[in-house]
């Protein structure tokens, strides 16, 4: 037993704080997928269609990963790499068109 700051004695055998720790430590799979797709969009940007599609999916998954909370870590990395992949894919498409003419 311990005493909380308000002077009440609390029985800590039930461990209600464990639920909060489990919620905090859960992995966000959408953010991880966003980051992986963003990296793949940069790698495949030379073939403009995969770069554009994977980059768009990375931005979408990154935005949907934290709807009710603030964006953190992997979600932000996924959005940024997705935007870079979209930009490189579009630049690759423009370069392909320019060299074809």
């Amino acid at each position: 037993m311990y005493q909380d700051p308000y002077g009440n004695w609390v029985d800590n055998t039930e461990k209600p704080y464990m639920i909060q720790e489990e919620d905090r430590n859960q992995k966000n799979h959408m953010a991880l997928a966003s980051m992986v797709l963003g990296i793949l969009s940069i790698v495949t940007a030379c073939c403009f269609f995969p770069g554009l599609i994977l980059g768009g999916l990375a931005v979408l998954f990154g935005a949907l990963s934290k709807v009710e909370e603030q964006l953190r870590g992997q979600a932000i990395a996924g959005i940024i790499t997705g935007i870079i992949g979209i930009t490189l894919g579009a630049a690759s498409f423009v370069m392909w068109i320019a060299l074809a003419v």
Side-chain angles (χ1 to χ4, degrees):
M1 291 186 59
Y2 69 95
Q3 190 175 13
D4 68 0
Y6 302 105
N8 301 323
W9 286 96
V10 179
D11 182 18
N12 62 350
T13 57
E14 297 176 17
K15 298 183 176 146
Y17 58 87
M18 293 299 287
I19 296 171
Q20 294 173 355
E21 286 182 15
E22 289 173 5
D23 289 342
R24 197 174 334 144
N25 291 332
Q26 284 183 348
K27 301 218 184 275
N28 192 341
H29 298 291
M30 292 273 283
L32 178 64
S34 171
M35 189 175 68
V36 169
L37 288 173
I39 292 169
L40 286 175
S41 72
I42 292 173
V43 171
T44 61
C46 60
C47 310
F48 49 89
F49 286 124
L52 292 173
I53 293 170
L54 294 175
L57 288 174
V59 171
L60 178 69
F61 286 167
L64 292 178
S65 67
K66 295 279 188 179
V67 174
E68 67 276 349
E69 295 179 19
Q70 215 175 20
L71 291 175
R72 293 190 210 148
Q74 290 178 336
I76 294 173
I79 291 172
I80 291 171
T81 55
I83 291 171
I84 292 170
I86 290 171
T87 305
L88 291 176
S92 173
F93 180 70
V94 169
M95 186 179 282
W96 183 74
I97 294 294
L99 291 175
V101 172

